[in-house]
């Protein structure tokens, strides 16, 4: 069987988070009653004039800069003609040859991919980012369809990658990175279930090493990263089998059936659109000077990868810690705020990763809704650092903090949880434990030193968890040996 | 310098989802060719030394601040619709899912 190179390009649509729509003042909001956020502009009534939303353009520039793009000095909007009821003007205002952003890149890899296999570091080129208006939402009934124009006119960025993606894992990582950056820079919420982020895949196979491209197949209607991954795996298999059997492929658009786990033919090249782009005469061109761009650049938020690197360098975190803590901007900010307050940021990171994130996911709330603010968690860490409480007691304190929002100090005082570091007090418990457990003492003396653990447990029990564990071990050894 | 055979009315009509009978096809082919020939007259102008532009007006960056305002009443906006679904959605003949832009 022949070997093939897989060539994948992704088109990602991201709704820009703004107060109002792209070309009219209707609210940009999800989940309202159908056709209540509409006006003659976004419903495409004749004679209306669009006026572009400055914030949407500014956020597109921010997206471009976050993704290492060049910002066009001169750009414009165009009309993309097509006939379908989700776009009542019979054209969509988009950008054709002069988009706002070009030539970017996205870094992926350096960790495990979605499939569990190692994903080496790689840079995926970005062809362009342009801004357009979203279309209406259609609901299909048996013999007719219904249109809700609330979504029509919502600012929509299209981010187009170079065909430099070679595997389903790379596609998944690319999408994850785009989403993370959009959320970091507060450009869009990217909730796929709400259609705030959507993805189309272009995929072709060619004989290994060949410079000629194979026939491009487009996959549409992918509404989760998982679906993107699965559809690519499926399509690679399907096309490989076809080529192996000597079949030829036509350029076509395929849909994804998630239940069946397969792609299906939607339309062939013969029925492909001919968009007949031409400049939108109702909108004036947009210009940016170098100064304009630099002004935006200094306001950029730290990119997730930069944040990861800083966490590793400044706070001595492991790659893993830094990756987990930067997955989401709010968690990263939380750690950042606490880390400067403690002596051992690594300890804070451990508590956030193993305790706080777990409690949050069990309670199904976000870190912003958490009752423990960074200062409070930092204060608790300080109590561990200065040995007021042990790590074990801290767990008790933490879970009380999580449910009540009380300060660690208050909980420790109220419940008398201060760690006992007084040797004579601990030694009393140690002697008591030794006296009560003659058989284990015998075992210890006959060389089974692992029963020491058992004694530690007994002493902790007697001290109700308050004894300092290091002292307990020292004193046990002293009294047993 | 007109190049009038460059338009295929049948194809344009198909793109615009228009059904034309032969008589109107002939008439429109003729009309559009004349319009194109008229536009072609622009080609006679000497544009040497003139910067290309995407717009006739030398005005840029006309935008509005991102402020939302109340929308129109649904009842008013749906008044011109050929039909509605429960007075909420605009009703259209069945279209194929997935043919749209997104
Ligand atoms: Zn509107």
């Amino acid at each position: 069987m022949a070997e093939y190179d897989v060539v994948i390009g992704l088109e990602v649509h991201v709704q820009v988070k703004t107060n109002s729509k792209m070309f009219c003042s209707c609210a940009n909001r999800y989940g309202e009653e159908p056709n209540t956020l509409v006006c003659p502009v976004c419903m495409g009534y004749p004679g209306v004039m669009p006026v572009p939303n400055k914030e949407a353009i500014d956020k597109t520039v921010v997206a471009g800069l976050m993704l290492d793009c060049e910002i066009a000095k001169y750009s414009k909007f165009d009309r993309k003609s097509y006939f379908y009821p989700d776009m009542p003007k019979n054209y969509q205002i988009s950008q054709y040859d002069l988009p706002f952003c070009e030539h970017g890149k996205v870094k992926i890899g350096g960790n495990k991919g979605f499939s569990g296999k190692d994903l080496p570091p790689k840079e995926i080129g970005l062809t362009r980012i342009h801004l357009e208006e979203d279309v209406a939402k259609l609901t299909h009934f048996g013999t007719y369809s219904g249109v809700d124009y609330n979504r029509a006119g919502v600012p929509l960025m299209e981010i187009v990658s170079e065909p430099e993606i070679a595997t389903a894992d790379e596609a998944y990582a690319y999408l994850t990175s785009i989403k993370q950056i959009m959320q970091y820079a507060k450009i869009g919420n990217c909730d796929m279930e709400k259609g705030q982020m959507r993805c189309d895949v272009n995929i072709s196979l060619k004989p290994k090493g060949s410079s000629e491209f194979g026939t491009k197949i487009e996959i549409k209607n992918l509404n989760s990263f998982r679906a993107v991954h699965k559809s690519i795996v499926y399509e690679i298999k399907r096309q490989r089998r076809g080529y192996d059997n000597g079949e030829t492929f036509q350029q076509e658009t395929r849909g994804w059936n998630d239940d069946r786990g397969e792609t299906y033919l939607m339309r062939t090249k013969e029925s492909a659109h001919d968009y007949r782009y031409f400049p939108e005469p109702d909108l004036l061109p947009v210009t940016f000077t170098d100064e304009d761009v630099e002004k935006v650049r200094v306001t950029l938020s730290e990119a997730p990868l930069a944040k990861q690197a800083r966490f590793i360098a400044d706070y001595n975190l492991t790659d893993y810690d830094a990756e987990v803590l930067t997955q989401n901007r709010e968690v990263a900010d939380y750690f950042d705020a606490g880390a400067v307050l403690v002596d051992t940021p690594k300890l804070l990171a451990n508590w956030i990763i193993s305790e706080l994130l777990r409690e949050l996911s069990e309670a199904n709330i976000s870190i912003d809704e958490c009752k423990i603010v960074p200062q409070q968690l930092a204060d608790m860490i300080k109590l561990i650092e200065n040995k007021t409480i042990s790590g074990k007691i801290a767990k008790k304190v933490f879970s009380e903090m999580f449910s009540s929002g009380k300060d660690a100090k208050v909980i420790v005082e109220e419940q008398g949880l201060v760690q006992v570091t007084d040797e004579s007090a601990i030694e009393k418990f140690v002697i008591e434990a030794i006296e009560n457990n003659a058989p284990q003492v015998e075992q210890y003396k006959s060389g089974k030193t692992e029963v020491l653990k058992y004694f530690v447990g007994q002493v902790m029990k007697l001290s109700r968890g308050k004894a300092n564990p290091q002292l307990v071990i020292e004193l046990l050894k002293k009294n047993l040996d | 310098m007109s190049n009038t055979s460059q338009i295929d009315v049948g194809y344009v009509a198909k793109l615009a989802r228009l059904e034309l009978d032969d008589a109107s096809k002939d008439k429109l082919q003729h009309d559009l060719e004349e319009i194109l020939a008229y536009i072609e007259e622009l080609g006679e102008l000497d544009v040497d030394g003139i910067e290309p532009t995407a717009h006739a007006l030398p005005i840029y960056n006309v935008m509005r601040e991102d402020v939302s305002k109340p929308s129109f009443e649904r009842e008013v906006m749906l008044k011109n619709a050929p039909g509605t679904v429960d007075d909420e959605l605009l009703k259209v003949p069945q279209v194929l899912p997935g043919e749209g832009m997104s």
Side-chain angles (χ1 to χ4, degrees), chain A residues 225-424:
Chain A
F225 291 180
R226 209 189 98 269
V228 171
H229 194 275
K230 282 174 77 176
S231 71
I232 289 174
V233 170
Y234 176 88
E235 200 54 27
I236 292 172
K237 260 187 215 154
R238 185 184 77 89
Q239 291 182 31
R240 178 182 291 149
R241 199 182 315 126
Y243 283 120
D244 280 343
N245 293 335
E247 281 170 44
T248 51
F249 286 90
Q250 295 294 312
Q251 202 173 316
E252 62 187 30
T253 302
R254 301 181 70 83
W256 171 248
N257 184 323
D258 206 41
D259 294 330
R260 299 171 64 108
E262 34 181 69
T263 62
Y264 60 90
L265 180 65
M266 266 164 72
R267 59 171 180 255
T268 54
K269 197 189 175 189
E270 287 75 56
S271 56
H273 297 294
D274 177 353
Y275 295 125
R276 311 224 138 185
Y277 285 95
F278 66 95
E280 165 59 274
D282 290 343
L283 292 169
L284 293 156
V286 178
T287 60
F288 286 101
T289 62
D290 289 340
E291 257 170 46
D292 295 334
V293 173
E294 289 318 305
K295 245 185 245 165
V296 180
R297 201 189 298 277
V298 296
T299 66
L300 291 186
S301 34
E302 190 180 22
L305 284 176
K307 213 181 268 288
Q308 265 182 42
R310 180 168 60 82
F311 282 3
I312 293 166
D314 291 3
Y315 298 134
N316 260 322
L317 302 192
T318 63
D319 290 359
Y320 171 81
D321 293 339
E323 195 187 325
V324 174
L325 289 175
T326 53
Q327 252 159 34
N328 148 328
R329 162 96 187 247
E330 283 69 33
V331 173
D333 287 349
Y334 188 100
F335 170 73
D336 236 349
V340 293
L341 302 171
V342 299
D343 293 333
T344 42
K346 166 73 182 146
L347 187 60
L348 176 68
N350 292 349
W351 275 87
I352 293 176
I353 292 167
S354 60
E355 300 299 323
L356 187 61
L357 292 182
R358 182 181 51 76
E359 291 271 12
L360 289 172
S361 95
E362 273 171 22
N364 199 17
I365 56 172
S366 74
I367 201 158
D368 289 337
E369 300 165 290
C370 178
K371 284 184 185 157
I372 310 176
V373 299
Q375 170 82 51
Q376 286 177 299
L377 189 57
D379 286 344
M380 189 201 84
I381 298 295
K382 281 194 249 171
L383 293 179
I384 304 174
E385 285 170 346
N386 68 23
K387 300 202 162 60
T388 307
I389 55 175
S390 66
K392 201 167 169 194
I393 292 289
K395 284 200 179 166
K396 209 190 249 181
V397 174
F398 177 84
S399 91
E400 172 69 30
M401 286 171 78
F402 190 82
S403 52
S404 70
K406 278 186 195 168
D407 284 346
K409 221 171 214 157
V410 173
I411 297 166
V412 168
E413 275 162 20
E414 276 177 0
Q415 306 194 7
L417 296 173
V418 178
Q419 180 167 242
V420 179
T421 49
D422 171 6
E423 277 197 33
S424 62

Side-chain angles (χ1 to χ4, degrees), chain B residues 21-101:
Chain B
D21 58 29
D22 287 346
S24 10
K25 220 182 233 174
D26 285 347
K27 184 177 179 318
L28 281 166
Q29 180 75 37
H30 175 79
D31 288 354
L32 284 170
E33 277 173 10
E34 280 203 336
I35 290 169
L36 286 179
Y38 180 58
I39 302 281
E40 282 294 322
E41 286 181 19
L42 285 172
E44 292 165 17
L45 284 172
D46 181 8
V47 292
D48 276 355
I50 297 179
E51 283 255 323
T53 177
H55 204 279
L57 296 173
I59 306 173
Y60 311 96
N61 306 331
V62 176
M63 301 176 199
R64 64 183 173 82
E65 291 304 315
D66 179 30
V67 179
S68 74
K69 294 184 184 149
S71 292
F72 282 52
E73 288 289 321
R74 174 161 70 190
E75 205 189 323
V76 177
M77 288 311 297
L78 293 183
K79 221 168 175 175
N80 288 325
T84 69
V85 182
D86 302 329
D87 294 324
E88 288 182 349
L89 300 174
L90 197 132
K91 187 173 176 179
V92 295
Q94 171 150 54
V95 286
L96 287 172
E99 272 290 304
M101 205 44 71

Side-chain angles (χ1 to χ4, degrees), chain A residues 21 23-27 37-43 149 152-153, chain B residues 71-72:
Chain A
K21 291 189 181 180
F23 297 114
C24 65
S25 299
C26 290
L37 303 176
V38 291
C39 74
V41 176
C42 53
M43 281 189 78
Y149 288 101
Chain B
S71 292
F72 282 52

